[in-house]
Amino acid sequence: QQQVKQSPQSLIVQKGGISIINCAYENTAFDYFPWYQQFPGKGPALLIAIRPDVSEKKEGRFTISFNKSAKQFSLHIMDSQPGDSATYFCAASSGTSYDKVIFGPGTSLSVIP
Amino acid sequence: DGGITQSPKYLFRKEGQNVTLSCEQNLNHDAMYWYRQDPGQGLRLIYYSQIVNDFQKGDIAEGYSVSREKKESFPLTVTSAQKNPTAFYLCASSLGLAGTTDTQYFGPGTRLTVL
């Protein structure tokens, strides 16, 4: 019940296209869903996050869509650029156990010119 | 310049040796964490600490030890009991506000290789 599933494992998108990464969770106590971006050899950095009281959050080219009833959330990267090539992790956590974040296995995104 | 620093960036260990990975933060965060990252497996929690002089085991604590003598420092020791220590180790910190979720900030990582 603590698992966060993420798909696809890897993704190749052409420059200017839309990248979509999907995540699903089981634990209904989760109430915070961040996305992290990690470049090779670097630590993950927070990209965007959402709480379940909204269905969508947009920051620049990055949008999180959240479906509370389906327990699914997704990251959309509009106008994908080669500089977006990185590994993306979705995550989930609960205010009742603030010290523990459950990460998805990651998606390796390659944006080709 | 605030942030989390980890050292060394690369570390090589011989079989049977203990090694210590350093993690320092100047963000004035109460909570600190250690994760292990293996290819295709995401991040797995080793240990976490909510306050000074207190820490808890994560999902894969066997073969690791930590200390939290200062708020800004949370070193991780990989002992000889850890059978497969080759991995990328990430330290993180957060405000650690009780009863709420807060964002974790990660350091640049240490890549440990057992020779």
Side-chain angles (χ1 to χ4, degrees), chain A residues 32 36 38 51 98-100, chain B residues 37 50 59 100-101 103:
Chain A
Y32 180 63
Y36 286 85
Q38 184 181 29
R51 296 190 188 274
Y98 70 92
D99 45 66
K100 194 166 182 178
Chain B
Q37 185 174 27
Q50 299 172 12
D59 300 318
T100 67
T101 52
T103 301

Side-chain angles (χ1 to χ4, degrees), chain A residues 43-92:
Chain A
L46 180 68
L47 187 64
I48 186 173
I50 197 168
R51 296 190 188 274
D53 52 344
V54 296
S55 60
E56 185 175 282
K57 183 174 181 179
K58 183 176 181 180
E59 289 185 1
R61 296 185 293 109
F62 300 91
T63 300
I64 299 178
S65 296
F66 186 82
N67 186 330
K68 188 174 181 179
S69 60
K71 291 184 282 187
Q72 296 175 347
F73 58 110
S74 60
L75 175 69
H76 291 64
I77 305 174
M78 311 300 287
D79 187 27
S80 299
Q81 299 296 314
D84 296 330
S85 298
T87 299
Y88 292 82
F89 294 96
C90 62

Side-chain angles (χ1 to χ4, degrees), chain A residues 9 31-32 36 38 41-44 46 51 89 93-95 98-101 103-106, chain B residues 9 33 35 37 40 42-43 48 50 59 88 90 96-101 103-104 106-108:
Chain A
Q9 185 175 357
D31 59 4
Y32 180 63
Y36 286 85
Q38 184 181 29
K42 307 291 185 184
L46 180 68
R51 296 190 188 274
F89 294 96
S93 63
S94 165
Y98 70 92
D99 45 66
K100 194 166 182 178
V101 178
F103 289 88
Chain B
K9 186 173 176 66
Y33 314 79
Y35 291 91
Q37 185 174 27
L43 286 77
Y48 63 93
Q50 299 172 12
D59 300 318
F88 190 48
L90 289 159
L97 299 172
T100 67
T101 52
T103 301
Q104 293 188 8
F106 286 84

